[in-house]
Amino acid sequence: MAATISRQLDACNLSDMPDKPATEASADSHGTMPFSTAQSSAVQYIPSLLDSEDIAAVFALGAEMSDELQWVNFDHSSAVTYLHRGDMFGQRCPVVKEKLRLAAVAAERALYGNGKRRKLTFRCVELHRSTRNGGLPEKEHYDRGSVVTVDVRLSPEGAFSGGEFRTVEADGSVKGHGASFAQPGNAMAFASHKRHHVAPVETGERFVLVAEFWTGEARVCGHRCTQR
């Protein structure tokens, strides 16, 4: 494992360019869901995936890695810490990692049917923090190249207002999922090629754990990698 970490950290392309606009042709062939199919797929709700001890462990790791390279938007209202860097997430939060993996496996079965199973690996594990005006405004955003994405609410109930997770459905309508994401530890799993965005946070701090799963090599480089 040490050799893998060293190789990825040294050789990985850190340019992580933004995803191309969502089109049918942009869906790749690595076990991902075709773009049009993904828009018709349903978000899977997972109540109480993480408990209070799990959430505390994630926050402790986030604090430990607070000096690591982060992605921050132009006004610092949104920031991402890459918890998988150097396999820190696996070392510090093994119970949480396994819960996420099992959730992704179950979601893959529910979303992709009973055909050949995909061997899912962790592409990235990210701690998202958003404050006033922070969010993910791009309605055409999707997690290109990944198979399943799992989002887990970490913030206590009432810790923020706004910040609703929303998806764009096949008919172009926007669906909000706030009611199913209201309690800490609640999770949602969805086909990564389904368009999704987050409304601006109005007050408070919104913390969410995001894990993307793909069929490439498990990554431990400190960003959302595009190298399989």
Side-chain angles (χ1 to χ4, degrees), residues 73-95:
N73 71 343
F74 71 97
D75 65 355
H76 289 245
S77 61
S78 293
V80 176
T81 302
Y82 299 101
L83 301 183
H84 61 286
R85 177 177 169 83
D87 195 37
M88 289 290 287
F89 185 70
Q91 295 174 26
R92 298 290 196 274
C93 302
V95 174

Side-chain angles (χ1 to χ4, degrees), residues 14-215:
L14 294 175
S15 61
D16 196 20
M17 299 300 292
D19 289 340
K20 297 178 181 178
T23 65
E24 178 71 32
S26 67
D28 64 26
S29 60
H30 298 283
T32 58
M33 187 175 289
F35 179 74
S36 60
T37 305
Q39 308 324 304
S40 300
S41 64
V43 173
Q44 310 291 305
Y45 301 131
I46 313 169
S48 304
L49 177 63
L50 301 186
D51 60 28
S52 59
E53 291 186 3
D54 298 329
I55 293 172
V58 173
F59 276 131
L61 177 58
E64 183 179 348
M65 300 183 71
S66 61
D67 292 333
E68 296 275 344
L69 177 68
Q70 295 182 328
W71 176 90
V72 181
N73 71 343
F74 71 97
D75 65 355
H76 289 245
S77 61
S78 293
V80 176
T81 302
Y82 299 101
L83 301 183
H84 61 286
R85 177 177 169 83
D87 195 37
M88 289 290 287
F89 185 70
Q91 295 174 26
R92 298 290 196 274
C93 302
V95 174
V96 179
K97 183 176 181 179
E98 180 63 6
K99 288 183 177 181
L100 292 175
R101 187 191 70 80
L102 291 175
V105 169
E108 188 264 347
R109 291 181 181 274
L111 291 166
Y112 288 81
N114 295 320
K116 183 180 179 181
R117 299 270 65 86
R118 296 154 182 79
K119 183 179 180 181
L120 299 180
T121 59
F122 282 85
R123 180 182 190 176
C124 57
V125 182
E126 304 171 350
L127 177 60
H128 288 222
R129 174 184 176 271
S130 297
T131 56
R132 188 172 183 271
N133 295 325
L136 178 61
E138 297 85 1
K139 292 184 179 181
E140 297 301 306
H141 170 85
Y142 69 112
D143 300 330
R144 183 170 185 259
S146 293
V147 175
V148 172
T149 301
V150 179
D151 288 7
V152 188
R153 175 175 173 143
L154 303 178
S155 297
E157 185 177 10
F160 65 91
S161 63
E164 183 181 47
F165 178 87
R166 298 170 177 172
T167 54
V168 179
E169 302 303 307
D171 62 1
S173 63
V174 174
K175 182 177 181 179
H177 301 269
S180 300
F181 209 51
Q183 300 292 328
N186 284 3
M188 296 180 291
F190 52 94
S192 300
H193 281 197
K194 187 176 182 70
R195 291 171 293 177
H196 55 278
H197 59 280
V198 177
V201 170
E202 297 170 0
T203 61
E205 287 184 304
R206 179 186 191 269
F207 286 94
V208 174
L209 183 66
V210 177
E212 289 183 38
F213 295 81
W214 68 352
T215 57

